Amino acid sequence: RSHVPSRIAVVGTGYVGLGTAGLLAHLGYRVTGIDIDPDKIAQLQRGVVPIHEPGLDLLLASQEDRITWTTDYQAVAEADVIFICVGTPPGPDGTPDLRYVTGAARSIAAYLGDRPQVIVNKSTVPIGTGDFLQRLLEDHAPQFDETRHRVASNPEFLREGTALADSLYPDRIVLGGHPEAVEVLARLYGPLIEQSFTAPQGIGRPDSYSRPAVVRTTLQSAEMIKYAANAFLALKISFANEIAGLCERVGADIQEVTTGIGLDGRIGHRFLQAGLGWGGSCFGKDTQGLISAGREHAYPMPILQAAIDVNYRQRNVVVEKLLRHLKSLKGKRIAVLGMAFKPNTDDLRDAPAHDLIARLHQLGATVLAHDPVAMPRAEREWSHLTYTAAPDPATALRRADAAIIATEWEEYALLNWRDLVGTMRQPLVVDARNMLRETLPAQVEQIGRES
Ligand code: UPG
């Protein structure tokens, strides 16, 4: 009895919502993007994309006839599929805060129609939220009918910076819920599953890519897949960082070690890059989220706790390296290159550079920070930190006592490091992302390898 969906409502216009709206419009659906923030909607209506994500402006502009932006939930009534893509920030105890999901669900409830509709959670939500959503809709939707209205889970695996390619050419599509709802979503994603769409400008299909696997499962398992995937990736990074620390002490080289272990097909080489550790909105929140889920069931999760501990220890490792060379940081000028939690985004959430800048200032250093795109955002979001924004890397490095590469932006790899280190007061570079390849007339410290 599954229907062929055509009208889609996407609630929430963050990374996930905007990407989903653009993708589904590109696949030919009529999409309404809904957000409670009138400023965001006004921007989108003017064609301004409120976040920095490569290719997103172009994709949304190319689909402007198929997408309507609004603060009005009315569009839910006409939609065959309604995606919930709102934020689930961690609360004070690490448990995800579901207030936006609940708020969105209540607003959706008011407008559910008398047609078959699938309400899909794309936000990363604690396991059990699908059932909770179902009950909430039952209680609040005047038109609710459980044979017509189905709740599903369709977690997102996109990375910031490559969000569109990740969405268009995914490894897998996970669909959880009642088989009828899963079938509607499988039809919705038909062109994606078959890879029968034309690639949007600038986001070509990777050479080795054929098509995604489809995982049809229950709500709970779909929700768990999302958490477990992120937790495992976080674990891999922390594992590499823990081994890196020992490499330094025994004279081994982490880059060679991870190459060596990654060649074992059971391990794989991806997400074994040692450095400053993970940041961003997902890994910290999701590992914590699993730990708190475990706690609720009196089930400790020591592996995940260790992954978190190793990750945040890593931010101190960099400061310790500076102290080893400079003895004290009082009055020292330290350049921090890179503020975003990773390259190709202006996202500053849980960025290692934040803790680094705070700590350097606390130890009495003058911090000059640079980022190719995140500086305007840092001016707004990091106003509590003390640092001078440097207009370019050269200005940050001039007369500096040390430089730290905190984010591996491509443009930092392309700098003329040879000349730049000559302008420093002391040529000391802590390459916390192991990105420099050449030998420099400077003291270069990396993570997990001898300097
Ligand atoms: N990182 C490392 N070493 C590695 C790989 C990554 O330190 O070998 C760091 C990276 O610098 C960044 C963090 O790990 O700080 C996360 O990177 P990435 O996964 O690229 O960023 P996100 O955009 O946060 O994406 C993650 C998952 C994605 C998921 C999303 C939201 O990769 O699958 O959808 O979080 O849940």
Side-chain angles (χ1 to χ4, degrees):
R1 285 202 298 114
S2 71
H3 56 289
V4 182
S6 72
R7 285 180 179 273
I8 315 298
V10 175
V11 178
T13 57
Y15 282 96
V16 174
L18 290 175
T20 303
L23 165 77
L24 292 172
H26 185 79
L27 297 183
Y29 301 103
R30 299 212 69 85
V31 179
T32 305
I34 306 172
D35 203 292
I36 51 170
D37 182 343
D39 295 334
K40 265 194 189 174
I41 290 299
Q43 285 187 29
L44 286 161
Q45 285 169 340
R46 287 200 311 274
V48 178
V49 180
I51 54 168
H52 175 90
E53 180 61 39
L56 188 59
D57 301 39
L58 210 61
L59 181 69
L60 292 179
S62 72
Q63 295 304 324
E64 62 176 359
D65 294 345
R66 288 210 186 91
I67 312 181
T68 311
W69 304 108
T70 176
T71 55
D72 187 354
Y73 272 83
Q74 176 73 50
V76 164
E78 302 293 312
D80 303 309
V81 180
I82 301 134
F83 283 95
I84 301 181
C85 304
V86 297
T88 51
D93 63 345
T95 323
D97 181 349
L98 286 184
R99 95 176 66 164
Y100 301 111
V101 174
T102 310
R106 281 173 192 257
S107 306
I108 290 168
Y111 291 102
L112 281 188
D114 53 8
R115 51 168 58 220
Q117 293 181 300
V118 181
I119 302 92
V120 192
N121 222 328
K122 238 187 191 326
S123 305
T124 302
V125 291
I127 299 131
T129 302
D131 285 334
F132 164 76
L133 194 61
Q134 168 96 22
R135 284 196 301 277
L136 197 144
L137 294 175
E138 271 168 22
D139 292 348
H140 291 86
Q143 304 254 40
F144 191 86
D145 172 348
E146 69 167 1
T147 63
R148 282 199 303 257
H149 298 124
R150 304 281 193 197
V151 169
S153 165
N154 169 220
E156 188 53 69
F157 302 103
L158 59 82
R159 291 161 298 175
E160 289 175 21
T162 51
L164 297 179
D166 289 347
S167 307
L168 288 161
Y169 317 113
D171 298 326
R172 77 298 207 189
I173 294 177
V174 174
L175 306 174
H178 188 282
E180 270 178 29
V182 165
E183 203 40 50
V184 172
L185 293 181
R187 288 186 184 215
L188 178 80
Y189 285 127
L192 193 68
I193 295 168
E194 301 303 323
Q195 287 288 306
S196 57
F197 62 89
T198 348
Q201 202 190 331
I203 322 169
R205 187 170 296 133
D207 288 341
S208 55
Y209 185 79
S210 61
R211 53 172 67 183
V214 181
V215 180
R216 293 162 196 255
T217 182
T218 61
L219 279 176
Q220 287 80 354
S221 297
E223 290 167 347
M224 181 60 103
I225 287 170
K226 168 68 189 193
Y227 273 98
N230 271 357
F232 192 79
L233 293 170
L235 204 65
K236 278 190 98 173
I237 299 169
S238 280
F239 180 82
N241 281 328
E242 183 165 297
I243 297 293
L246 194 57
C247 281
E248 285 175 16
R249 288 161 176 82
V250 300
D253 182 322
I254 190 67
Q255 298 296 126
E256 287 167 18
V257 171
T258 49
T259 303
I261 64 173
L263 285 166
D264 184 328
R266 295 169 299 176
I267 298 175
H269 58 269
R270 294 169 73 187
F271 275 71
L272 282 179
Q273 178 63 46
L276 248 182
W278 81 69
S281 64
C282 296
F283 285 179
K285 173 171 72 99
D286 294 352
T287 42
Q288 276 298 349
L290 272 185
I291 290 174
S292 22
R295 198 179 302 125
E296 260 171 51
H297 296 274
Y299 183 72
M301 307 203 69
I303 295 183
L304 296 185
Q305 188 55 54
I308 293 173
D309 295 345
V310 168
N311 189 61
Y312 294 95
R313 174 175 80 180
Q314 216 53 16
R315 299 179 183 185
N316 273 330
V317 165
V318 171
V319 177
E320 282 161 19
K321 283 184 188 288
L322 284 185
L323 285 171
R324 208 172 306 139
H325 288 277
L326 300 176
K327 306 298 175 251
S328 155
L329 296 187
K330 229 173 235 116
K332 300 281 163 43
R333 279 169 76 91
I334 312 290
V336 174
L337 297 188
M339 299 161 94
F341 82 96
K342 65 172 189 179
N344 303 320
T345 175
D346 68 342
D347 196 333
L348 295 169
R349 285 176 288 179
D350 199 15
H354 176 278
D355 293 4
L356 211 54
I357 292 171
R359 184 86 184 117
L360 295 172
H361 172 68
Q362 194 186 34
L363 292 173
T366 301
V367 181
L368 288 103
H370 173 266
D371 190 282
V373 306
M375 288 207 289
R377 186 179 280 271
E379 208 177 308
R380 297 193 299 274
E381 294 179 8
W382 286 4
S383 55
H384 54 280
L385 291 183
T386 311
Y387 67 91
T388 305
D392 46 61
T395 311
L397 289 176
R398 198 170 305 128
R399 293 192 309 279
D401 295 285
I404 303 170
I405 302 177
T407 315
E408 66 278 32
W409 283 98
E410 172 78 12
E411 73 169 73
Y412 294 156
L414 301 175
L415 290 173
N416 186 342
W417 280 97
R418 227 154 239 295
D419 290 355
L420 283 176
V421 294
T423 70
M424 296 176 71
R425 193 145 61 192
Q426 301 189 46
L428 168 61
V429 181
V430 180
D431 173 12
R433 296 293 182 178
N434 290 357
M435 74 180 297
L436 296 180
R437 295 279 164 262
E438 55 188 326
T439 328
L440 295 177
Q443 183 77 45
V444 178
E445 283 273 357
Q446 294 187 314
I447 305 290
R449 41 201 341 199
E450 270 185 304
S451 46

